[in-house]
Amino acid sequence: MTVFIQILQLVLALALLVLLHELGHFTFAKLFKVRVSRFYLFFNPKFHIVSTYDKWVRHLLKLKPEIVPTKKEEDGKVVKEYVGTEYGIGWLPLGGYCAIDGMIDETNQKLSAEVKPWEFRSKPAWQRLLIMIGGVLVNFLLALFIYSMIMFTWGEKYISVQDMTMGMKFNEEAKALGFQDGDILLSHDGVDFRDFNADLYRALADAHEVSVKRNGQTVSISMPGDLNLLDMLKNDPKFVSPFIPSVLDSVIAESPAALAGLQKNDRIVAINGHEVDSYNEFMNEMGRLSDMMASAITHEDSLRIRTTSIVYVREEMTDTLQVVLSSDLKLGFTSQSLYTLYKVTDIKYGFFESFPAGIEYGWNVLKGYVSDLRYVFTADGAKSIGGFGTIGSLFPPMWDWYVFWKMTAFLSIILAFMNILPIPALDGGHVLFLLYEMITRRKPSEQFMIRAEYVGFALIIALMVIANLNDILRGLGIL
């Protein structure tokens, strides 16, 4: 059921984004009197779920027909034909399209020798440019609008890094640079850290100097300025993480922890003879057991690894338990939440205040995404690319409108940026050729445009195959 909810959220978000993206192209095309033969949400190879022509839509709205019905001869027979827009929903939810007459695109329409006045290719270059950027413009503005409405509806709630008074836990790489467990991050190159998110890691990766609070004193740590962000995030343990005590906040019924007698507020201090001073260290030990489990061959090997010695403290009394962990190495408890451990900053915005806040937030998201693209061209970066499975997993297993809209806005920004890249078959490829035409006053030949479209389309398909193959390999535990 949880997977179904994630899939439903993904399909709904993509449907909204694709529909509005294509509507951006459609609106500018209609504005400049360019004929659009088909407008489809999702792809429709071989068949579609539903379709209708705009003559019925216009009839219902009591509007004059945009284009009158015509007749043509086909194999000696007179066939009635309505030359208008066909609206439909396809069965393959991988995108959508707006088939603009007289344009070389993925719809693979054949262009006649005679250029018609309602065709895309007959229009001035500046009009064609606006038609092509219409989709990207809508997606970008949509993301900023959604972020603004999120600010208006829910505001901002976060924990300032400086308010994490128990400090942070650092891995060996960070300690080699001069960080110590318990340090509180203050600033990087004179700029204060805000909250604990991906921007904090980006700032640490590019920083030359970081200030921390250590034992009440401010200490400066020199940084190389070129740390690998992917390594900082993928290493286990991570470069830095907020300190969370190893205290049980709740015990799951019938779990190994419950069956062994562990209770709420118990504090774990050791596992299999290894001391743990935090939930962070507890998870590190669980990772050690997971590595051991990977080499288990027999059931006896698995049982031996899962049989764990737990030392805990309850009301200042220390005791030891033997616990058999579940097959997926879960003890069966929840840790304390950061929002219960530290002071929470809660900012509310009025309607008009929400727009500058949402625009600033969206712009920072875009900057972070563009900055991270440099890692895509590395070996580890290529492995980190994800397809529909990865995107779907970003949605929560239970319906949450806040997360849904936040993810939809994020996907809208990604869709806008990816589409404006100067790759043939994407909007950015068409924009590139139009800019070339406007500068040189020469149009690229139709044959060149067709070949470029094929090359670009092949690149996009290859990228989709790699991304979704990565999802499969991760699911199998290979990647």
Side-chain angles (χ1 to χ4, degrees):
M1 186 64 180
T2 57
V3 174
F4 172 76
I5 291 175
Q6 288 179 307
I7 293 173
L8 182 62
Q9 291 179 90
L10 174 62
V11 172
L12 181 59
L14 291 180
L16 175 66
L17 298 181
V18 169
L19 181 66
L20 294 178
H21 177 92
E22 299 303 335
L23 188 61
H25 295 307
F26 180 88
T27 302
F28 278 104
K30 290 296 185 181
L31 180 65
F32 299 128
K33 301 187 184 307
V34 176
R35 186 177 295 169
V36 179
S37 57
R38 281 176 293 171
F39 185 93
Y40 262 78
L41 172 64
F42 304 148
F43 295 128
N44 60 320
K46 301 298 183 182
F47 67 94
H48 52 256
I49 296 175
V50 64
S51 74
T52 184
Y53 283 92
D54 63 357
K55 64 178 179 180
W56 306 115
V57 177
R58 300 181 77 83
H59 175 72
L60 289 173
L61 297 178
K62 300 187 182 304
L63 299 173
K64 292 181 179 179
E66 181 183 23
I67 305 166
V68 297
T70 62
K71 293 182 179 181
K72 67 175 183 178
E73 290 197 8
E74 190 174 284
D75 298 330
K77 298 179 181 179
V78 176
V79 181
K80 289 185 178 181
E81 179 190 43
Y82 183 79
V83 185
T85 302
E86 176 191 354
Y87 300 91
I89 300 176
W91 62 270
L92 189 60
L94 298 180
Y97 65 94
C98 177
I100 300 173
D101 284 13
M103 175 181 168
I104 298 171
D105 60 7
E106 71 278 3
T107 59
N108 200 27
Q109 61 177 303
K110 294 182 180 179
L111 303 182
S112 62
E114 180 186 358
V115 179
K116 306 291 176 33
W118 61 77
E119 288 187 327
F120 175 82
R121 55 181 173 165
S122 72
K123 302 301 178 180
W126 68 271
Q127 291 186 4
R128 285 180 279 138
L129 180 64
L130 287 175
I131 292 172
M132 291 316 307
I133 67 173
V136 168
L137 182 63
V138 166
N139 279 135
F140 186 64
L141 293 178
L142 174 66
L144 298 182
F145 176 75
I146 293 175
Y147 280 131
S148 298
M149 291 301 95
I150 288 174
M151 296 296 182
F152 174 64
T153 306
W154 288 283
E156 279 191 283
K157 185 177 290 187
Y158 64 92
I159 299 170
S160 173
V161 174
Q162 290 85 349
D163 288 333
M164 294 182 177
T165 52
M166 296 184 201
M168 286 84 189
K169 295 287 291 186
F170 298 87
N171 67 7
E172 294 304 317
E173 177 190 6
K175 290 176 180 177
L177 292 171
F179 293 99
Q180 295 181 12
D181 287 340
D183 285 350
I184 302 172
L185 294 171
L186 298 177
S187 64
H188 57 98
D189 297 326
V191 180
D192 289 345
F193 289 106
R194 188 173 183 266
D195 53 339
F196 204 99
N197 56 19
D199 286 338
L200 179 140
Y201 281 95
R202 294 188 187 103
L204 287 172
D206 297 332
H208 292 88
E209 184 180 43
V210 172
S211 295
V212 301
K213 181 182 287 187
R214 181 181 298 165
N215 300 323
Q217 303 294 320
T218 299
V219 177
S220 294
I221 298 173
S222 296
M223 300 284 284
D226 59 353
L227 293 177
N228 187 297
L229 179 63
L230 287 181
D231 288 342
M232 294 173 71
L233 291 171
K234 77 174 185 178
N235 286 344
D236 189 15
K238 291 183 174 61
F239 187 89
V240 58
S241 56
F243 180 94
I244 300 176
S246 55
V247 175
L248 282 64
D249 188 61
S250 63
V251 178
I252 300 171
E254 304 300 321
S255 67
L259 296 176
L262 289 172
Q263 301 176 9
K264 177 183 173 66
N265 294 326
D266 286 350
R267 178 166 57 90
I268 297 174
V269 295
I271 302 175
N272 291 337
H274 298 279
E275 291 186 6
V276 296
D277 63 357
S278 61
Y279 181 71
N280 314 67
E281 289 289 343
F282 172 83
M283 292 306 297
N284 293 344
E285 292 302 320
M286 290 297 102
R288 190 198 306 270
L289 293 179
S290 180
D291 292 339
M292 294 171 61
M293 185 66 81
S295 61
I297 299 175
T298 65
H299 173 72
E300 287 74 16
D301 292 336
S302 172
L303 183 61
R304 175 177 49 81
I305 295 169
R306 291 190 293 120
T307 302
T308 307
S309 172
I310 302 288
V311 180
Y312 67 98
V313 176
R314 178 184 299 166
E315 298 178 352
E316 300 184 1
M317 297 292 292
T318 303
D319 202 354
T320 302
L321 291 173
Q322 292 293 321
V323 182
V324 179
L325 303 177
S326 64
S327 58
D328 56 353
L329 297 179
K330 300 296 184 185
L331 182 54
F333 74 94
T334 60
S335 64
Q336 293 177 303
S337 167
L338 289 174
Y339 283 88
T340 61
L341 291 170
Y342 302 113
K343 173 187 172 184
V344 177
T345 300
D346 193 356
I347 305 175
K348 299 297 182 183
Y349 294 96
F351 182 74
F352 294 106
E353 294 174 321
S354 67
F355 285 96
I359 290 170
E360 181 182 5
Y361 187 91
W363 182 249
N364 286 335
V365 170
L366 177 61
K367 286 196 300 183
Y369 179 73
V370 173
S371 172
D372 295 346
L373 282 180
R374 56 183 162 166
Y375 297 103
V376 171
F377 303 101
T378 66
D380 286 337
K383 294 177 182 177
S384 68
I385 296 174
F388 292 106
T390 296
I391 298 172
S393 68
L394 297 176
F395 288 93
M398 300 300 290
W399 198 281
D400 185 322
W401 282 112
Y402 171 77
V403 179
F404 171 80
W405 286 117
K406 202 168 184 179
M407 276 304 307
T408 301
F410 178 62
L411 292 177
S412 192
I413 280 185
I414 292 177
L415 184 61
F417 180 78
M418 294 300 292
N419 260 287
I420 205 61
L421 292 176
I423 299 173
L426 294 178
D427 295 343
H430 292 280
V431 169
L432 178 65
F433 295 137
L434 281 167
L435 291 176
Y436 167 82
E437 178 185 339
M438 295 172 74
I439 294 170
T440 64
R441 305 291 181 181
R442 292 187 302 171
K443 277 187 178 183
S445 69
E446 288 186 1
Q447 191 62 33
F448 170 80
M449 294 287 286
I450 291 171
R451 289 176 178 172
E453 194 78 13
Y454 283 139
V455 171
F457 194 68
L459 287 172
I460 294 169
I461 293 298
L463 182 60
M464 288 183 63
V465 169
I466 292 172
N468 287 286
L469 180 61
N470 282 350
D471 283 351
I472 295 172
L473 294 177
R474 273 191 287 266
L476 295 174
I478 298 174
L479 192 61

